[in-house]
Amino acid sequence: QRLRKQLHLLSVDFFDEVDDYLFSSSGGQRDTDNDFLKSMRELRTKQGLFEEHFLQEVVLRVKQSQSAQEHKSNSLEVSKSSLGTSFERIEIDLAVRAMQRKSDKLYGHFYQQIDEFGARAIEQSKRPVIESRALVSAILCGFQKAQNCLILPLEVRLVVAKLFEQHFVLCLGKLYSD
């Protein structure tokens, strides 16, 4: 419950940033053909749906990471359901993998601490609390799944992914500290 609450707060901040960015990028135009304004409306109307899918996937993957079989296969996979072309899927996949690399650099010291804690737990015949990279992996998989409920042009989708990286993925320090 604590994780869900913290993720929700990060999500609210993320959507505020996306909304502000898209509005400022629209250039103040009230044009109905403006992709940024259309995307802003899309995100506002589907924010709840995005958060619901996102939180469900993250919590599910974090729970699964505690089972022995999930320790080995916590991979990132782009869902093909609503992303149109192979090119779009590749672009999103590349963006998510870049988020993974940046988070590995930023949270490496937390990963090391969690791994050491897990090793001590195993030595004491206890099950480790969580796999060190499970949280970031779950968040990225959750983002991949949740972003499929949004109908956005690829350019806007990539901007949303970058803002998700900056205002969500790279802001997990408090979660790791907890």
Side-chain angles (χ1 to χ4, degrees):
Q1 291 303 325
R2 198 163 143 190
L3 174 65
R4 285 179 74 83
K5 183 178 180 179
Q6 289 177 339
L7 291 174
H8 175 72
L9 292 174
L10 282 172
S11 179
V12 168
D13 291 342
F14 159 66
F15 273 99
D16 287 346
E17 290 294 330
V18 171
D19 190 71
D20 291 345
Y21 180 87
L22 292 175
F23 182 74
S24 66
S25 295
S26 72
Q29 299 173 358
R30 305 294 182 242
D31 186 357
T32 55
D33 289 334
N34 187 317
D35 281 342
F36 289 109
L37 288 178
K38 285 180 183 177
S39 299
M40 190 172 76
R41 283 188 212 105
E42 173 76 6
L43 284 161
R44 284 180 176 175
T45 58
K46 293 188 178 168
Q47 179 177 349
L49 183 62
F50 178 95
E51 287 177 338
E52 179 183 323
H53 286 291
F54 175 73
L55 290 174
Q56 283 177 350
E57 186 71 13
V58 171
V59 170
L60 175 70
R61 288 195 175 259
V62 167
K63 286 179 180 178
Q64 287 176 341
S65 74
Q66 295 174 326
S67 70
Q69 68 221 21
E70 278 297 310
H71 274 292
K72 295 180 179 94
S73 72
N74 207 355
S75 63
L76 297 173
E77 182 179 315
V78 175
S79 172
K80 295 168 179 61
S81 61
S82 77
L83 291 178
T85 67
S86 296
F87 177 74
E88 290 174 340
R89 287 192 297 271
I90 291 168
E91 288 283 339
I92 297 302
D93 187 46
L94 290 172
V96 170
R97 291 190 191 283
M99 287 184 226
Q100 179 77 57
R101 282 191 308 276
K102 288 181 181 180
S103 62
D104 285 349
K105 289 178 190 174
L106 185 61
Y107 304 123
H109 64 287
F110 287 119
Y111 296 165
Q112 184 178 12
Q113 290 174 352
I114 292 169
D115 287 341
E116 289 171 2
F117 181 75
R120 283 195 305 267
I122 290 172
E123 286 174 5
Q124 298 171 359
S125 300
K126 296 178 184 176
R127 195 173 91 190
V129 177
I130 190 170
E131 196 270 325
S132 59
R133 288 171 173 76
L135 181 59
V136 168
S137 182
I139 287 170
L140 295 177
C141 289
F143 173 75
Q144 287 179 312
K145 182 174 182 177
Q147 59 97 28
N148 284 319
C149 71
L150 304 171
I151 300 169
L152 300 170
L154 177 60
E155 293 77 17
V156 175
R157 196 176 290 275
L158 291 172
V159 167
V160 169
K162 189 62 169 176
L163 291 170
F164 183 78
E165 173 190 299
Q166 293 173 342
H167 299 284
F168 200 106
V169 175
L170 300 180
C171 297
L172 297 175
K174 184 178 181 337
L175 285 173
Y176 273 108
S177 293
D178 284 354

